Amino acid sequence: MSFTAEVKDELARVGGSCPECAVAELAALVRVCGALSFHGSGAYSIRVSTETGAVARTVIRLAHEVFDLDTSLTVRRSNLHKSRNYLIEIPEQKGLEQALIRMGVLVLGRGLSSGIAARVVARPCCRAAYLRGAFMAGGFIADPRGDFHLEIAVTGDEFADDLLELLDDEGITARVNRRRGSFAIYLKSFDDIAALLGVVGAERTARAVKNIRVMKSVKNDVNRRVNAELANQARSTGASAGQLALIDRVEREIGFDALPPALMQFCVARREHPELSLRDLGAQMTPPLSKSALYHRVLRLEKLLE
């Protein structure tokens, strides 16, 4: 099961806080992944197609519980992609038109709605339910262990704008991309994705995402520290090699016997410990010396050669 399917399976088990939450959730499911057919005055039918079993179960359950609508389910298997497709049909029947009006899919006397009906998402809990239905119908979420992002595919620019407004009401920043006549509402921030998962009720996934973020942060911090240490070692190795070359020249051109005791001590210590930084080399000496003190001795050797 993909990570997206796991999240949708969790959301399928989330209940609403009020009776109207079920209306809002079903409205989003029908609006995002459903197709409405018109058969004459007051006669409609709906076809909802999804590749996720949890979404199909939710559509059927809500259609029965909220509006007592008859439904049929057809399961088709794709040999090419080795996946299932679930087709839920809600045929023309008494009460379907009123259900569509109550969900805000139809506007009495005006036809199909192009946006989200304000009364359907009037309560905070209903807004959360609508966002839950929208994600279940058209959502994708990448595994947070990789390049993490979340998106919801919808149609209609007004509907996309209304969905962005719902997310903004929850303090969630989202953007929209147009793709071949459809719209992809996407989130890339860890904080925004975790916030949306919490709003729609995917609490287990939200906790997992936050834990993975902590693990990534720790891992990145360790990598930064290791890289910094390697860089320091490389710089120390380069500096040590330069100091050894300097000491060789001093020995050839001046001779150690002509050096003051302090400079002689440094030359001997550096040759005995070529792998150490100046700070660590100073700690090895008796008495211990600071990095700046040893660097001053390097400068004195350079002056002597000049």
Side-chain angles (χ1 to χ4, degrees), residues 20-34 46 48 58-59 62-63 66-67 99-106 115-117 119-121 126 129-134 137 159:
E20 293 304 309
C21 287
V23 176
E25 186 173 349
L26 182 59
L29 287 162
V30 170
R31 180 63 179 79
V32 176
C33 66
I46 302 172
V48 177
T58 302
V59 171
L62 293 176
V66 181
F67 297 111
L100 291 170
I101 293 172
R102 187 176 170 191
M103 288 188 289
V105 176
L106 281 179
I116 300 173
R119 57 181 172 74
V120 175
V121 291
C126 294
Y130 200 97
L131 290 171
R132 180 166 59 250
F159 182 80

Side-chain angles (χ1 to χ4, degrees), residues 265 279 281-291 293-294 297:
Q265 181 192 29
R279 180 182 289 105
L281 183 63
Q284 295 282 335
M285 302 179 76
T286 305
L289 297 171
S290 67
K291 175 183 176 181
L294 290 189
R297 295 187 184 187

Side-chain angles (χ1 to χ4, degrees), residues 10-54:
E10 180 182 3
L11 292 178
R13 306 172 195 277
V14 177
S17 300
C18 76
E20 293 304 309
C21 287
V23 176
E25 186 173 349
L26 182 59
L29 287 162
V30 170
R31 180 63 179 79
V32 176
C33 66
L36 180 66
S37 298
F38 175 65
H39 303 287
S41 179
Y44 302 90
S45 65
I46 302 172
R47 291 162 63 95
V48 177
S49 179
T50 176
E51 294 181 355
T52 308

Side-chain angles (χ1 to χ4, degrees), residues 29-267:
L29 287 162
V30 170
R31 180 63 179 79
V32 176
C33 66
L36 180 66
S37 298
F38 175 65
H39 303 287
S41 179
Y44 302 90
S45 65
I46 302 172
R47 291 162 63 95
V48 177
S49 179
T50 176
E51 294 181 355
T52 308
V55 176
R57 292 195 302 272
T58 302
V59 171
I60 293 171
R61 175 177 59 81
L62 293 176
H64 290 174
E65 291 179 358
V66 181
F67 297 111
D68 193 26
L69 296 172
D70 293 330
T71 62
S72 65
L73 173 65
T74 304
V75 182
R76 300 172 292 186
R77 180 179 292 276
S78 169
N79 293 326
L80 178 61
H81 302 290
K82 298 186 182 301
S83 61
R84 291 180 178 178
N85 179 271
Y86 301 87
L87 177 64
I88 304 103
E89 296 187 84
I90 305 176
E92 176 188 341
Q93 57 192 285
K94 182 181 178 181
L96 179 55
E97 182 183 29
Q98 287 304 311
L100 291 170
I101 293 172
R102 187 176 170 191
M103 288 188 289
V105 176
L106 281 179
V107 179
L108 191 62
R110 292 171 51 190
L112 186 65
S113 171
S114 56
I116 300 173
R119 57 181 172 74
V120 175
V121 291
R123 299 185 179 95
C125 59
C126 294
R127 288 198 296 271
Y130 200 97
L131 290 171
R132 180 166 59 250
F135 176 79
M136 290 181 68
F140 167 82
I141 181 169
D143 193 317
R145 290 169 293 186
D147 183 17
F148 196 36
H149 74 280
L150 179 151
E151 66 179 49
I152 304 173
V154 301
T155 56
D157 53 355
E158 185 176 341
F159 182 80
D161 289 341
D162 286 354
L163 205 55
L164 283 175
E165 189 173 333
L166 285 186
L167 291 167
D168 186 64
D169 289 342
E170 300 297 334
I172 298 167
T173 301
R175 293 177 175 82
V176 60
N177 274 343
R178 186 180 183 92
R179 296 178 180 172
R180 298 178 182 176
S182 64
F183 297 84
I185 295 171
Y186 68 93
L187 292 73
K188 295 188 74 71
S189 161
F190 251 101
D191 291 334
D192 287 323
I193 294 173
L196 176 58
L197 291 172
V199 166
V200 298
E203 296 178 358
R204 176 175 56 81
T205 303
R207 287 194 300 270
V209 165
K210 290 176 182 177
N211 290 337
I212 290 172
R213 183 184 187 182
V214 171
M215 291 173 60
K216 278 188 170 183
S217 178
V218 171
K219 183 178 179 180
N220 290 338
D221 186 56
V222 169
N223 286 339
R224 282 193 298 269
R225 291 176 182 270
V226 169
N227 291 336
E229 183 63 28
L230 290 175
N232 288 336
Q233 289 179 3
R235 284 193 295 268
S236 296
T237 300
S240 176
Q243 292 159 18
L244 289 170
L246 176 65
I247 291 169
D248 290 342
R249 284 188 60 199
V250 168
E251 184 178 24
R252 289 194 309 270
E253 300 178 23
I254 300 174
F256 284 168
D257 293 340
L259 295 178
L263 298 187
M264 171 68 82
Q265 181 192 29
F266 169 74
C267 293

